[in-house]
Amino acid sequence: MPSQPLLHLPTLLVMTVVGSLVMAAGLLLVGARRRGEGLGLWATALLMQSLAYVLLALRGRIPDVLSIVVANGLLAGVFASLLAAVHQFQRRPLPWRQIVAPVLVTLALFVAFREDYTARLVLAGVIYPVQLGLVLWALWRHPSEGRADRMVAAGIWLQCGMLVVRAGAALSGHMPTAGLLEESLWQHATFLTTFITVQASSLGFIFMARDRADAINQRMAARDPLTDVPNRRATIAALDRDMGRAVRSREPFSLMMIDIDHFKRVNDELGHLAGDEVLRGVVDLMGTRIRAQDLIGRYGGEEFVVLLPDTPLEGAQRLAGELCDAVEKTTFDTAAGPVRVTLSIGVFGGRLDAEDHWDALIAAADRAMYDAKHGGRNRVVVADMPLRTVARGAGPRDNPQ
């Protein structure tokens, strides 16, 4: 009695088609609220793949133009849609030539070689890997957040390898010629590879969208929505990190506490929208005067912290004076009219020890800032109190929550 194959080819075909349909439904469901991320195009590719395999399976029962030409044209469309999906996810223009040309070439060649099964296998082993190579190139050139794109690439590499090996087997005469559902090791491998590719690459693409959403959420959680600089929590985290680095390297570290003078008057007289424009204008102006390694953070209301790694007190004091002068000389245009403001700045700088804490620096610079305000505003005051005279938790407004 002849041995039965471990896997039943029609069952594998059904699994592949159903798996593609289920994954397409999942992509459409996830993509309903994430338009413009390529999920809809990826789902379209899976739907086309399902239809293509149904047409291929009906070889001999429907016209060859459908089971051969249209089916393989759909498969070329599958890989073209994957490329379009990746480009859309990356917010890049769709490469229409790379999308359309392989589909048209596939249709033309499969019309010409409609009667030659071996030639069709070789063509599929050349055209489709080239299309998938374009997808891999796009993923490599513009990697996404996280590592989910590696999962997508792994599935695509597997599919490419199977197509190339199958073409080589066809050239060497080892491929069956009776059709898609002829029981053979090659056909089992083809269906299994396709099934694995669909699941792995599609899940990877969903994870890519999730990783991007997580990165956006993390950014939003760490940024002030009005000025787009780090918020209080993120600023304190950066301060704690930079202080640790300064202690280890024995490099000087400086910090400024900045307050916009009489800002409540701007809000009361011109409205909060004008006040928001002034806040953004001041932040933008300060951003043009600091180095790439420095950081501006919003500490609360109209108060900002500027972190200055590897900066001695003299340099920080000089920069603070420049910021005061620049803001004083700038007219900020708002919807309610031009606005002029000034800054009061407290500066702390020096070398740190392991016993120093972020709240001590904040407290020292904060008190110097209030001395500047009490001394007439629009000025810079340097903190002269020793850091370790301020205990953890004793500084004003020192809770990062």
Side-chain angles (χ1 to χ4, degrees), residues 257 346 362-372 374 381 383 385 390 394-396:
M257 284 290 293
I362 291 288
D366 189 72
R367 295 189 188 209
M369 181 194 73
Y370 273 94
D371 288 343
H374 295 153
V381 172
M385 59 183 297
V390 181

Side-chain angles (χ1 to χ4, degrees), residues 340-353:
R340 302 285 293 272
V341 294
T342 59
L343 302 180
S344 293
I345 303 179
V347 179
F348 183 92
R351 296 189 184 277
L352 306 179
D353 293 321

Side-chain angles (χ1 to χ4, degrees), residues 355-370:
E355 295 83 2
D356 298 324
H357 301 289
W358 64 263
D359 50 358
L361 268 71
I362 291 288
D366 189 72
R367 295 189 188 209
M369 181 194 73
Y370 273 94

Side-chain angles (χ1 to χ4, degrees), residues 231-247:
N231 60 19
R232 181 180 178 132
R233 180 185 295 274
T235 300
I236 290 175
L239 172 58
D240 200 32
R241 178 201 64 212
D242 289 349
M243 286 181 63
R245 185 181 298 120
V247 169

